[in-house]
Amino acid sequence: MLAETVSRLFAEVESDQLQPTIDEMGLAGLMLSEGQGGAGCGWEELFEVLEPAGQYAAAVPLGENILASQLLGKAGNFSLSPYVEGSLQEGKFSGEVRNIPWGRAVDTVVAQAATGDVFSLDTSAAHCRENHNLADEPRDTLIFDRQAIGPLESADLLQYCALMRSVQMAGALEGALQLTAAYTLERHQFGRAIGKFQAVQQQLAVFAVEVAAVSCAVRAACRAATRGDAAFQIGAAKLRANTAVEIASRTAHQVHGAIGFTREHQLRQFTQRLWSWRTEYGNDRYWSEFLGRRVIERGAEHFWSDLTARDDRVAG
Amino acid sequence: MPTFSFQPVDLPPGIPAFRQQIRQFLQREMPDTSPENKSNCWGVADLAFSRKLGQQGYIGMTWPKAFGGGERSAIERYILLEELLAAGAPVGAHWIADRQSGPAILKYGTAEQQQKYLPAITRGELYCCIGMSEPGAGSDLASVRTRGEQLADGRWKLNGQKLWTTFAQHCDLMIALVRTTPVDANNRHAGLSQFLIDLKHTPGITIRPIEDMVGGNHFNEVFFDDAIVEPDALFGVEGEGWQQCTSELSLERSGPERYLSSLALYLELLRAAGSDAESTVVQALGSIATQLWTLRQMSLSVAGQLVDGQDPTLEAACVKDLGNALEQGIPHLVQRIVSSELFLEDQSDLARTLALLLQTSPSFSLRGGTREILRGIIARGLGLR
Ligand SMILES: Cc1cc2nc3c(=O)[nH]c(=O)nc-3n(C[C@H](O)[C@H](O)[C@H](O)COP(=O)(O)OP(=O)(O)OC[C@H]3O[C@@H](n4cnc5c(N)ncnc54)[C@H](O)[C@@H]3O)c2cc1C
């Protein structure tokens, strides 16, 4: 249901009208409790909403809006970032909050200091250094000078952001796959659709399996996040999404030939995002070390029982 | 809509307790074995252990009680299988009977055939093998040439040869795919039938072992020279062997045995890594953990779809393809980062397990349908074929 509604939104609304429409629909309040005027949803519903955003390469910070709203306890066009450099003294923050999606366009940003403290910052007095990722999505740094903070409940912003981005990656991978599969049936060479060549079919099958793996991993991580501590699952989902980018982007571009290498073609909307998102909120090395350390710490004796206990806990 | 469907499964209550039971059973009853024998353990046969599993109700556990089954859920069976494999238990002897021959007999067998075979399978006393491949029929299974000819008295005369038959030497029963009417060039899948062949008591059958690359004796060639079987050896419907056979294959592609064959090596690497492990080792451990976790979620999801009565043929092919790639990738990854020399008489568990898996893992993407055939199935699911 939710997925269909937002899919229609991304398919039909002009891109410059997307953010206003999202604001109007109150989508930012998805994960706020009903008492806070929200929809009381969890990560699994976030998947339903953000996966289509990835699949349509929607150029809006919808995930950021939803998560920052949840952290702030009210709905709005807010953003967040776990990348902070600066000092917190007597309730005032001086320094930089980096790589804020759409930092220039939001009036409040939620940030997390190295100490773990989570707080909100009013951005009106901040200096903005604009930047963009490869897909031209704003990734801004805001510079604050003794700006009063709003202390917030503790949360792991990197984990939040990693899962959010993983959901979008699952969507973008699916979008690239569907675009590519359709193209192999349209494009004819040697008197037949290129999709009829076994070499193309086999490549696409590998691509599809990667997409399926990411979708499954991210869904499982969302389910775990709704239910409690999901650090392992979130790290694994982001890492799984990251590693799929290589096969997916390589195959999608190869199969599209030269037309896919043009500025005008839609394919880059997926691949440029995927290349950026792979690095955002933990690249492969970051998460594989994070997970590797955890399994080493627990030891071989606990590996399998830990793996199964994560799902058994739910069964109770 | 996603191209393939992999909804996470919610395990029913009672699973943790059941898992505990299985672990206690294994602690008590599983024979001591080296890490290398724990790898690819559904390729290791131990008849005595299979009988113990049978006594415990751990074979055919979803089948009707009338045939010795336990009428337990398919999810519980899934949990049992993953626990057996993760522990490295020697489950090869009865694996095929439990996974596909028994279910096929339940689906297509007559009441007499069911009564004759199923209870003995659940006791862990009767083992089955797959008689599909032949010298000229591998991926192109429809080209089997073993012939069955019905005699005037209703019995059947079989002539031909099966190949790569896993554990035929231990097995009482083969389900064989046989041509019973000459090939129709317009419909190669017609005219094939399945037979339940008693390997121990049928004259005219010769089983010859084929040594595998590592020196193991697990597969065989089986010859039929005017082998005469009774009329009731015909399995299912004459001429529908192809359909029966392919539905049997779909049962065997998404189980935990499709991604866990190299778990033992991963655990050895983890055992060897201390808190001061180098970054490459730490990263490898984290990366493989991720893949194992993902595949488990996918494999469980397919199990859930089977329980719900859906047809996850495509998803099952995804699990097998990706799972085999992981099982095959683990030994190479370990070899990249571990410096032990691979001697035939090496002492270290890690090196011995690595050596064995380097050599056996090429077979993982051959058995049960090759990588290319699976990818063809997936491409069909994408609408390309
Ligand atoms: C360990 C092990 C146990 C086995 N146990 C059994 C058993 O118990 N019973 C049994 O019946 N069989 C068994 N098999 C046989 C197995 O089913 C076959 O190996 C498999 O079906 C492939 O057949 P083949 O080996 O003849 O290879 P081929 O079919 O000759 O294939 C050789 C190569 O060509 C590729 N190829 C073939 N056709 C195509 C195509 N159309 N498009 C693209 N590529 C293609 C294949 O993918 C493969 O890479 C076992 C095999 C192994 C390795």
Side-chain angles (χ1 to χ4, degrees), chain A residues 198, chain B residues 130-133 137-140 163-166 218-219 363 366-370 372-373:
Chain A
Q198 197 184 44
Chain B
I130 306 169
M132 296 187 189
S133 306
S139 300
D140 182 14
L163 193 59
W164 315 129
T165 323
T166 298
H218 107 277
F219 50 34
S363 70
L366 297 172
R367 61 186 182 192
T370 70
E372 290 71 25
I373 295 301

Side-chain angles (χ1 to χ4, degrees), chain A residues 34-45:
Chain A
E34 286 170 21
Q36 294 167 319
C41 290
W43 285 93
E44 284 159 283
E45 289 84 7

Side-chain angles (χ1 to χ4, degrees), chain A residues 174 178 184 196 201-202 204-206 217 219 223 227 236 239 288-289 291-292 301 304 308 311-312 315, chain B residues 1-3 7 9-13 19 23 83 86 271 279 282-283 286 290 293 296-297 372 375 384-385:
Chain A
E174 183 70 47
Q178 291 188 8
T184 64
K196 298 294 163 198
Q201 292 174 354
Q202 298 263 312
L204 233 67
V206 176
R219 277 174 192 276
R223 189 183 57 160
R227 290 172 181 180
L239 179 57
S288 57
E289 284 192 348
L291 296 164
E301 298 314 317
W304 179 255
T308 53
D311 295 290
D312 284 0
Chain B
M1 276 302 287
T3 307
Q7 289 288 347
V9 163
D10 281 331
L11 295 175
R19 196 187 295 283
R23 287 182 183 165
E83 286 299 320
R271 232 182 289 287
S279 173
V282 178
Q283 287 184 56
T290 293
W293 172 76
R296 180 162 182 271
Q297 297 300 323
E372 290 71 25
R375 290 180 181 170
L384 304 191
R385 298 178 57 206

Side-chain angles (χ1 to χ4, degrees), chain A residues 177 180 199-200 202-208 244-257 267:
Chain A
L177 173 65
T180 307
V200 174
Q202 298 263 312
Q203 285 189 59
L204 233 67
V206 176
F207 182 179
V245 170
E246 203 167 319
I247 288 175
S249 60
R250 195 200 307 140
T251 309
H253 277 288
Q254 188 65 21
V255 168
H256 272 91
L267 181 58

